[in-house]
Amino acid sequence: MSFEGKYSVTIDTPMGRQEGTLDLAQAGDELTGTMAAMGDSSSIKNGKADGDTASWEVDITKPMPMTLTFNGTKSGDAINGTVTLGAFGQSTFSATAA
């Protein structure tokens, strides 16, 4: 299963829902690409795909510097899962093909 493509992303955070875009490229089990939100764009790092599951990290600067760690499962054109919000704990995210 390929995660490659462009997605609209919604992350549930303590500050409310945050929306952005996710552009993934896949080569074998490696995921690369970019994620954009709040006027910033960051490269994906440590991206891995395994069947219908994937994980990746994104360093953000807004609303404050932190690393977001995503773990998701793909079903059809959607990816749903959990995201660790730096020191602020874990929440959920959803991504749909754009």
Side-chain angles (χ1 to χ4, degrees):
M1 174 171 292
S2 177
F3 283 83
E4 191 155 325
K6 296 181 186 294
Y7 299 87
S8 295
V9 179
T10 302
I11 303 171
D12 294 310
T13 76
M15 295 175 24
R17 293 185 130 188
Q18 302 296 318
E19 301 200 0
T21 59
L22 178 63
D23 190 356
L24 291 175
Q26 184 173 346
D29 66 353
E30 183 181 4
L31 287 178
T32 58
T34 58
M35 187 166 186
M38 301 178 82
D40 281 346
S41 180
S42 299
S43 294
I44 289 170
K45 62 181 191 177
N46 302 320
K48 297 286 180 204
D50 183 12
D52 65 349
T53 63
S55 61
W56 64 91
E57 295 176 347
V58 177
D59 292 328
I60 63 168
T61 58
K62 291 180 185 175
M64 64 189 64
M66 72 177 82
T67 299
L68 305 180
T69 304
F70 293 83
N71 289 286
T73 302
K74 185 170 184 186
S75 178
D77 288 339
I79 306 170
N80 294 290
T82 59
V83 55
T84 302
L85 307 167
F88 296 98
Q90 197 171 67
S91 191
T92 59
F93 81 95
S94 61
T96 53

